């Protein structure tokens, strides 16, 4: 919300010495977020005057139209002679009043004006547009043409109110009242302790039987509808300069008098209004829910198909407006345009000032992707009691500025209702803030906000109509605290008990992160939101548990409304994004929570704020949340080892993904089982299934390997990309994180190599497990150092696996016979289990 300081001063008698910065500090202290203070015209320097165009000479021979003008600026140039100016704009004629900047002046942006030769003529100044003066868009896209009655030679800086300060306030979703000058003025008056001249305090005639007929069929969606009629508007009437400038300062573009007046009153009082061309409205005005499939063309020229939940304004033909969002084109106010023959300007208007349901307006605006100034206010809460005053203010301005006549008829349809009342203990703000304010301070602050307060120890507070966000005692306590000053709250730092530090789980996660970073991976933090279409892209089966997601009621993006059940979608998106930006050798990892819905849905209770929640409160809250195990995942693409003078490089492959899983398992102290698997996005022939033993039963905790080519093509990923994902919580459960000191033996190691030929489909892990078990307790380590395939030497569908076996005893030096016997026992068991045959 942009608030000009000059407009604010009309309703609050601020000291003359107060600047925008001073007001900013006061409002921030009161809880409003004033982001910036814009100094309009800060670097503007005159002379800047009103001139009248006397002659226009069209200059020929140039690529664009150029005009040489003489302009009467009165005595502003010191001589009284006409000023000669070269100008390229086409939207003014001889006799028009324009804004002229004379040599010696400086325009916004530090642009100095001097006499200079251009297009073969000497230009003594400039005829100005609104952009050149920093006024914003006035809709003319050219030179400012002033009303004919404007005095020649008058100071244009004062006339156009070019010097001002504008406060830019980031209004939170609960403070709809501050989306108006009236609301900000109220906060300013409270902050300074000054009286407020409320612009909504007007003499408003009561409803009568002569008003325009209105029928509200949905009082829950529209609890108040005020209609007034003004006739005889002058088609030639234009918005005065002061009105246009105020709209520009708050960020709106002047359009036409009737529309400008409704926008002006909306910004002033916070009540959105709409003006209908009375001659285009057929029959009574109605308010109802749309019928499924009905259509309307809104003021932006778009035809929209309506939903059954949309609240609409209707006449005898059907919908003529989306309630609280945007009007329809059928009843649009027509402006006078002399260039269009036969085009009739609007002379009679119906003014609508209504109060619509917040949720209904918000859903309609979001459903049609149509956010407007009106919907922004209704979504955040509008004062229902201001509707009649806003309609009266609009009528008064139209009568004053357009020569109209206000009809005696007043329509006001009001649904029965009562003011909202909240009961609160007088010391409740004291408990929330930890400060003793006292009953008198609490009552005084609530009355300043506009509440009616009764009672002693227990206060009965009637909330003002312009503050629909005050619904419970905590809201009232917040009002007292913010007005007394957040900066006055005592700062008490918590004192944690010494010696606890990080938990075992936190230490494990940090160790895993350091280990993966040491292995060359870069951590990537991704949003936990996904679309359900990503599961199709990953090739998951229709009944895969990962497809069961927790959906957000109010997601940041409608395209990603669900919480992730896997870390891979975010990591793969990061891989694709970085690859597209030229980084082709990538190794990324992430540790984070995934979200799995519980079988029985529960509703979380609101925790107390005046005391520490009990263990039962926290347990009930956690029980209502989805399961949130922590996972770790990596993705790789491109080169794993770079080529250079030291030798050839190596591309990343499925074995690197498996090794990343082993790295994580080592840090967790868990024994990881690795076997051939097949799941979702992984290549069926290059996928490892990762398992651990939990309570005596084997459990799959993840997968690693190369991604399926179909998945790579669908997601736009580099060829041969690899990935791994593990359930960290299960690894933590089965792991042993007690540090193990390395054992250094005084006895030498005996190394024996063995090469076994097996069928190509036999996993190397099965062969290794058999060798390990057969070798017995003398085996210190085993390492696969070669895989060889040659159909001519080994036979079709066969491969050779070469292992290095290291044997050592703790109490003696092994003999050759002992080492050979252990090797033969290992080979025998591998032969029995896998059909292995010694090579050669």
């Amino acid at each position: 919300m942009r608030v000009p300081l000059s407009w604010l001063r009309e309703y609050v008698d601020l000291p003359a010495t107060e600047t925008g910065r001073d007001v900013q500090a006061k409002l921030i202290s009161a809880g409003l977020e004033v982001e910036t203070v814009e100094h309009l015209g800060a670097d503007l320097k005159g002379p800047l005057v009103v001139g009248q165009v006397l002659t226009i000479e069209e200059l020929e021979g140039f690529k664009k139209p150029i005009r040489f003008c003489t302009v009467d600026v009165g005595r502003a140039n010191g001589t009284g002679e006409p000023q000669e100016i070269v100008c390229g704009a086409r939207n003014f004629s001889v006799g028009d009043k324009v804004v002229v900047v004379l040599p010696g002046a400086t325009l916004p942006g530090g642009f100095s004006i001097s006499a200079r030769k251009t297009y073969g003529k000497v230009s003594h100044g400039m005829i100005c547009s609104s952009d050149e003066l920093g006024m914003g868009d006035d809709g003319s896209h050219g030179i400012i043409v002033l009303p004919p009655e404007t005095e020649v030679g008058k100071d244009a800086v004062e006339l156009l109110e070019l010097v001002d300060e504008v406060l830019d306030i980031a209004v939170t979703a609960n403070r709809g009242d501050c989306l108006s000058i009236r609301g900000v003025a109220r906060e300013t008056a409270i902050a300074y302790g000054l009286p407020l001249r409320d612009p909504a305090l007007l003499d408003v005639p009561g409803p009568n039987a002569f008003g325009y007929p209105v029928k509200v069929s949905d009082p829950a969606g529209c609890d108040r509808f005020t209609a007034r009629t003004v006739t005889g508007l002058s088609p030639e009437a234009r918005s005065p300069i002061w009105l246009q400038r105020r709209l520009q300062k708050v960020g709106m573009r002047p359009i036409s008098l009737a529309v400008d007046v409704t926008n002006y009153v909306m910004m002033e009082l916070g009540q959105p209004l709409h003006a209908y061309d009375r001659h285009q409205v057929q029959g009574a005005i109605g308010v109802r829910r749309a019928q499924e499939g009905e259509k309307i063309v809104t003021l932006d020229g778009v035809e929209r198909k309506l939903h059954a939940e949309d609240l609409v304004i209707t006449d005898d033909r059907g919908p003529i407006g989306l309630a609280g969002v945007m009007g329809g084109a059928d009843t649009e106010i027509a402006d006078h345009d002399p260039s269009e023959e036969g085009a009739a300007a609007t002379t009679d208007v119906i003014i609508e000032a209504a109060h619509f349901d917040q949720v209904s307006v918000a859903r309609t605006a979001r459903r049609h992707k149509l956010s407007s100034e009106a919907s922004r206010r209704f979504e955040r809460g509008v004062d229902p009691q201001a509707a009649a005053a806003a309609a009266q203010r609009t009528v008064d301005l139209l009568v004053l500025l357009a020569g109209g006549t206000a009809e005696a008829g007043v329509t006001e349809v009001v649904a029965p209702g009562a003011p909202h009342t909240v009961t609160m203990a007088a010391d409740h703000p004291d408990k929330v803030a930890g400060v003793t304010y006292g009953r008198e301070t609490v009552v005084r602050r609530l009355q300043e906000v506009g509440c009616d307060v009764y009672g002693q120890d227990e206060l009965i507070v009637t909330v003002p109509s312009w503050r629909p966000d005050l619904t419970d005692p905590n809201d009232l306590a917040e009002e007292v605290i913010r007005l007394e000053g957040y900066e006055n709250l005592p700062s008490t730092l918590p004192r944690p008990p010494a010696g606890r530090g990080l938990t075992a789980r936190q230490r494990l996660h940090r160790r895993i992160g350091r280990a993966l970073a040491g292995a060359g991976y870069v951590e990537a933090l991704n949003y936990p939101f996904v679309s359900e279409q990503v599961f199709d892209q990953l090739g998951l089966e229709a009944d895969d548990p990962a497809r069961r997601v927790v959906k957000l009621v109010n997601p940041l993006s409608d395209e990603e409304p669900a919480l992730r059940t896997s870390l891979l979608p975010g990591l793969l998106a990061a891989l694709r994004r970085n690859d597209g930006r030229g980084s082709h050798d990538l190794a990324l990892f992430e540790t984070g929570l995934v979200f799995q819905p519980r079988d029985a849905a529960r509703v979380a209770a609101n925790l107390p704020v005046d005391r520490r929640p009990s263990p039962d409160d926290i347990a009930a809250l956690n029980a209502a949340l989805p399961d949130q195990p922590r996972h770790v995942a990596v993705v790789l693409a491109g080169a794993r080892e770079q080529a250079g003078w030291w030798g050839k490089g190596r591309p990343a492959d499925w074995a690197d993904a498996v090794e990343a899983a082993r790295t994580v398992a080592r840090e967790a102290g868990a024994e990881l089982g690795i076997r051939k698997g097949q799941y979702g996005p992984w290549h069926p022939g290059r996928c490892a299934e990762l398992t651990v033993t939990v309570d005596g039963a084997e459990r799959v905790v993840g997968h690693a390997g190369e991604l399926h080519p179909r998945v790579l093509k669908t997601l736009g990923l580099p060829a041969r990309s690899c990935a791994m994902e593990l359930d960290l919580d299960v690894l933590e459960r089965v792991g042993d994180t007690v540090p193990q000191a390395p054992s250094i033996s005084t006895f030498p190691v005996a190394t024996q190599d063995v090469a076994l030929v097996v069928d190509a489909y036999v996993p190397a892990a099965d062969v290794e497990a058999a060798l390990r078990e057969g070798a017995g307790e003398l085996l210190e380590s085993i390492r696969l150092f070669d895989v060889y395939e040659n159909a001519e030497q080994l036979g079709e569908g066969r491969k050779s696996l070469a292992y290095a076996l290291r044997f050592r005893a703790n109490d003696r030096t092994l003999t050759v016979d002992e080492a050979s016997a252990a090797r033969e026992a290992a080979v025998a068991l591998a032969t029995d289990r896998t059909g292995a045959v010694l090579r050669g």
Side-chain angles (χ1 to χ4, degrees), residues 58 74 76 145 180 196 341 502 623 638 661 677 779 839:
E58 302 288 346
V145 178
S180 66
L196 169 71
E341 296 183 4
L502 299 176
L779 182 67
R839 181 180 170 190

Side-chain angles (χ1 to χ4, degrees), residues 502-512 593 628-632 661 664-672 692-694 699 701 726-738:
L502 299 176
T503 65
R505 188 185 193 200
Q506 290 170 329
R507 288 196 295 271
L508 172 61
H509 295 163
R510 291 196 179 189
R511 284 203 312 274
I512 288 172
L593 301 180
Q628 301 176 58
R630 184 175 290 272
H631 282 202
V632 59
V664 172
R666 281 195 298 269
E667 293 298 326
E671 185 175 345
L672 193 66
V692 294
T693 301
V694 182
R699 177 172 171 181
V701 291
L726 274 174
D727 189 328
L728 260 185
D729 284 357
V730 177
L731 286 182
E732 181 185 6
R733 177 180 170 188
V734 302
D736 182 7
T737 58
V738 177

Side-chain angles (χ1 to χ4, degrees), residues 302-603:
V302 177
E303 183 179 75
R304 303 181 186 276
K305 187 176 181 180
L306 300 178
H307 188 274
E309 291 184 4
D310 292 335
L311 192 67
V312 294
I313 311 298
T314 65
D315 64 3
D316 290 349
R317 297 167 295 180
I320 59 173
L322 280 174
V325 180
M326 185 174 286
D330 290 343
T331 57
E332 181 180 7
I333 298 295
D335 194 16
H336 173 69
D337 189 349
S339 64
E340 295 186 15
E341 296 183 4
T346 299
T347 57
D348 301 341
V349 297
I350 301 171
I351 305 300
E352 166 208 302
H355 185 260
F356 301 111
D357 176 62
Q358 292 178 239
V359 175
S360 176
V361 172
R363 288 179 175 173
T364 297
R366 178 168 295 187
R367 187 180 298 117
H368 294 282
K369 295 181 173 58
L370 186 62
S371 179
S372 64
E373 291 289 343
S375 67
R376 285 185 62 218
R377 284 160 175 78
F378 279 121
E379 288 172 12
R380 290 161 174 78
V382 169
D383 181 5
Q385 301 294 336
Q392 182 63 46
R393 176 77 164 135
T394 305
V395 169
D396 292 344
L397 287 173
L398 288 176
V399 170
L400 174 67
L401 302 177
T405 302
E407 290 195 352
V410 178
T411 303
E412 191 165 2
V413 180
V414 181
H420 181 62
T421 301
V422 179
T423 301
M424 179 187 73
D427 61 350
H428 182 67
D430 302 2
K431 294 179 179 179
V432 174
V435 175
T436 303
Y437 292 121
R439 180 188 177 279
E440 291 185 2
T441 299
V442 171
V443 172
R444 174 172 57 84
R445 287 303 190 185
L446 292 179
Q447 288 175 339
E448 287 177 348
V449 172
C451 299
D452 291 330
V453 186
Y454 304 94
Q456 292 297 320
D457 295 337
E458 185 173 76
L459 303 179
I460 301 174
V461 182
T462 301
V463 174
S465 59
W466 56 83
R467 291 298 303 275
D469 58 305
L470 303 181
T471 60
D472 56 55
N474 290 327
D475 295 328
L476 301 178
E478 182 181 3
E479 292 301 297
V480 175
I481 295 168
R482 74 175 180 87
L483 294 179
E484 283 295 305
Y486 290 120
E487 68 277 8
N488 296 323
L489 294 177
S491 298
T492 305
L493 295 176
R495 296 182 178 180
R500 294 191 177 183
L502 299 176
T503 65
R505 188 185 193 200
Q506 290 170 329
R507 288 196 295 271
L508 172 61
H509 295 163
R510 291 196 179 189
R511 284 203 312 274
I512 288 172
R514 285 195 293 266
L516 290 175
Y521 291 86
V522 176
E523 187 170 16
L525 301 178
N526 299 292
Y527 285 115
F529 312 117
V530 296
S531 66
E532 294 184 86
Q533 288 73 25
V534 75
F535 302 125
D536 296 327
Q537 297 170 338
L538 293 176
L540 300 186
E541 299 291 339
D543 58 349
D544 194 297
R547 285 182 174 271
R548 293 185 63 237
V549 296
V550 177
K551 290 187 178 180
L552 300 174
V553 176
N554 187 23
L556 292 179
S557 169
D558 292 335
E559 296 179 357
E560 295 181 330
L563 292 174
R564 65 189 178 191
T565 56
S566 167
L567 300 182
L568 288 184
L571 272 179
L572 293 176
L575 182 72
R576 180 179 63 247
R577 185 164 53 251
N578 283 276
D579 180 72
R581 294 175 179 174
S583 298
H584 303 303
D585 303 324
L586 296 162
L588 308 177
F589 85 93
E590 181 177 11
T591 61
L593 301 180
V594 299
F595 305 86
Q596 300 166 349
R598 299 179 187 268
D599 294 333
R602 300 183 183 180
V603 178

Side-chain angles (χ1 to χ4, degrees), residues 14 150 158 190 201 235 265 294 298 371 404 448 468 517 524 582 702 734 815:
L14 294 172
T150 310
E158 179 183 352
I190 296 173
L201 294 180
V265 176
E294 279 188 310
T298 46
S371 179
E448 287 177 348
V734 302
T815 65

Side-chain angles (χ1 to χ4, degrees), residues 42-62:
D43 51 357
L44 177 65
K45 178 183 176 183
L48 189 72
V49 299
V50 176
Q52 185 173 21
V53 180
L54 300 178
T55 64
I56 298 177
E57 177 187 350
E58 302 288 346
L59 301 182
E60 305 293 339
F62 300 103

Side-chain angles (χ1 to χ4, degrees), residues 26-27 161 169 181 213 406 535 581 620 639 654 704 733 735 792 801 803:
K26 285 283 190 179
L27 292 180
E161 302 178 13
I169 304 175
I181 304 297
F535 302 125
R581 294 175 179 174
W654 61 269
R733 177 180 170 188
E792 294 182 2
L801 303 175
Y803 293 90

